[in-house]
Amino acid sequence: MKLLLILLLAILLIGCGENNKEDPLKKDQWYLDGSKNEYIDINLQHSLYKGRNVLIAIVDNGIDIFHEDLKENIGVGSYSYLTKEYSFNDANHGTACAGIIAGVEGNGKGIRGIASKAKVIGYNALKVPSISNIADALIRNKEKVWISNNSWGDFNSWGEPLLLRSIEEEALKDGVRYGRNGKGIIYVFSAGNGSADEKSVPTDNVNYSGLVNNRYTIPVGAVDEFGKKAHYSEVGATLIVVAPSKGSTEGAGIVTTDVTGEKGYNPETFPSDYKNHNYTKNFGGTSASAPMVSGVVALMLEANSHLTWRDVRMVLAQSATKNDPNDSDWEYNGANLHINHKYGFGLVNAKEAIDLALNWKGVAEEKLIEKFQDVNVSIPDNNDNGVDGVINIEKNISIEFIDIYFNTNDHQKLGDLEITLISPYGTKSILAQRHEEAFEGIFKYNNWRFGTMRHLNEYSKGEWKLQVKDLREGNSGTFISWGLKIYGH
């Protein structure tokens, strides 16, 4: 019997040996835990959770499904919008995102992914970026896909920029309502790289994009290795969390998988002592921060597979770390949650998110309160005082997300306007900022939908104010109407 036990143990050890090797590039993955970077990391300390049984769709330009550090974690269902056969040629961007999420751990090849036992599949919809292809990719295999990673934003070539087209919005609604057996697909999106240099006036904001200012998606911003906002990372009231990425040309990049061979990112970015061209050390942008969060969500879902899409948003927000604590924009909302237009609720924290998910009971049935108001008041030109609209809400629910509808369709220069929502608790959500270049003359605020996550867990009852200021001389318009849709429980 003793001999039999020894033989069985030997067999187990041999079988496990392939995934107990040192990953040569793990030492360069400074963002995983505090052992490699004294300033910032995602606190990846749990050894129990690796994303097992979680399927993540990478909506991108494809994945190298035969990559040495990915092939073990490639699931069933990859799809090509180019041909009937899945293609991974020139799929450097999608391959890099896939590695951050699900690079195989312990195979002695290169890196380790955040969710190193999760399965990933690729949809190369960005190779043929039509609205219909994107909508299809958002709900393809919706019964099986748990998380949809989208490290991309609006494409002007698709038509009118910035608006969330009805076919895409219907796909997102379908995914959260019916995906994952009714618990909802988790849609993780890059917040966008359109922010101006910090010394100049901002030109872009997550609230100018229908893809990331709605309640169905999780927009993720980027911070550098010191925990400070990457200069390109877009700010806004719908940001939920931020995650590490490359902050500057000289800064630390994200180490991840690249397409096999020499077709991918620049070979000179490889470490001098590691000649395998299947990896890059310089991946960055909010393209890199989004898959960080997708990986953490995979760990959360392994810990508690009952989490719905609404639960996941709340767990991420309530478990985030207050990074860059001296930044002047930090404040506490009426529910005592720290919030920042640059960082959302803070830096994603894997350990805290898993711990919270383990004991999460699930939110109650969703409730909706909506109320609209006609204002029809001229907005004073170049005036710091502006004009206000006031709506009183009599019903009381715990807030999860707010849609704000705003109409000033006669104003010719939207970059003049600063628009702020103020809750009964005094919490402010800056929805639009004065900016120089974006969107002038392209479209109007014609019942435009803004969004905010900053009032999470506040109660809805009381006076809500929308403050509208025109902060530049030369154009004027009318505050015609506005309204609120408050979602909560």
Side-chain angles (χ1 to χ4, degrees), residues 379-383 411 416 470-476:
I379 306 168
D381 190 32
N382 195 27
N383 186 299
H411 203 292
D416 291 2
D470 185 325
L471 298 178
R472 181 166 40 208
E473 188 175 2
N475 291 273
S476 60

Side-chain angles (χ1 to χ4, degrees), residues 34-295:
S35 65
K36 300 175 185 64
N37 182 9
E38 63 180 302
Y39 299 105
I40 191 170
D41 60 78
I42 64 169
N43 199 16
L44 189 67
Q45 294 185 21
H46 271 283
S47 59
L48 291 177
Y49 301 102
K50 308 286 186 181
R52 296 172 184 86
N53 302 316
V54 177
L55 181 64
I56 300 121
I58 313 291
V59 181
D60 214 287
N61 65 350
I63 297 176
D64 181 351
I65 60 177
F66 302 111
H67 193 285
E68 62 180 7
D69 224 4
L70 289 173
K71 60 184 179 181
E72 185 178 320
N73 284 340
I74 297 296
V76 176
S78 291
Y79 183 81
S80 176
Y81 291 86
L82 287 172
T83 65
K84 292 182 180 179
E85 185 176 336
Y86 187 77
S87 171
F88 62 86
N89 289 333
D90 303 319
N92 53 349
H93 193 271
T95 300
C97 293
I100 291 171
I101 297 170
V104 178
E105 182 180 10
N107 62 357
K109 299 294 184 183
I111 63 164
R112 69 149 294 183
I114 292 168
S116 58
K117 294 290 186 181
K119 299 295 184 185
V120 292
I121 56 176
Y123 304 148
N124 61 356
L126 299 194
K127 290 284 191 179
V128 191
S130 67
I131 295 172
S132 59
N133 282 349
I134 292 297
D136 178 80
L138 291 172
I139 54 174
R140 178 169 287 275
N141 291 315
K142 66 183 177 185
E143 301 85 3
K144 299 176 181 179
V145 169
W146 295 39
I147 303 164
S148 174
N149 186 85
N150 299 269
S151 289
W152 51 274
D154 284 304
F155 285 73
N156 289 356
S157 60
W158 298 1
E160 188 173 11
L162 308 170
L163 301 178
L164 182 59
R165 296 90 178 162
S166 60
I167 187 173
E168 293 171 320
E169 186 163 13
E170 287 305 311
L172 291 171
K173 288 180 181 178
D174 186 60
V176 298
R177 289 174 181 171
Y178 305 112
R180 201 163 52 99
N181 295 317
K183 293 188 287 291
I185 296 172
I186 313 304
Y187 290 106
V188 180
F189 269 78
S190 296
N193 300 337
S195 182
D197 187 278
E198 291 178 343
K199 296 179 181 179
S200 64
V201 178
T203 59
D204 216 343
N205 184 298
V206 292
N207 247 313
Y208 304 152
S209 168
L211 285 166
V212 287
N213 78 347
N214 67 84
R215 66 194 186 98
Y216 308 117
T217 61
I218 296 172
V220 181
V223 292
D224 63 17
E225 67 268 35
F226 304 107
K228 294 186 177 293
K229 176 184 172 297
H231 68 88
Y232 52 79
S233 184
E234 293 179 27
V235 304
T238 63
L239 275 181
I240 296 183
V241 288
V242 292
S245 188
K246 185 177 176 65
S248 65
T249 303
E250 298 78 20
I254 301 303
V255 184
T256 185
T257 48
D258 195 2
V259 290
T260 303
E262 299 185 10
K263 281 192 173 183
Y265 294 107
N266 295 329
E268 59 267 23
T269 66
F270 307 154
S272 58
D273 61 341
Y274 196 75
K275 302 300 182 181
N276 192 332
H277 286 190
N278 302 340
Y279 303 87
T280 179
K281 292 184 71 178
N282 267 335
F283 195 51
T286 54
S287 288
S289 55
M292 297 252 184
V293 172
S294 291

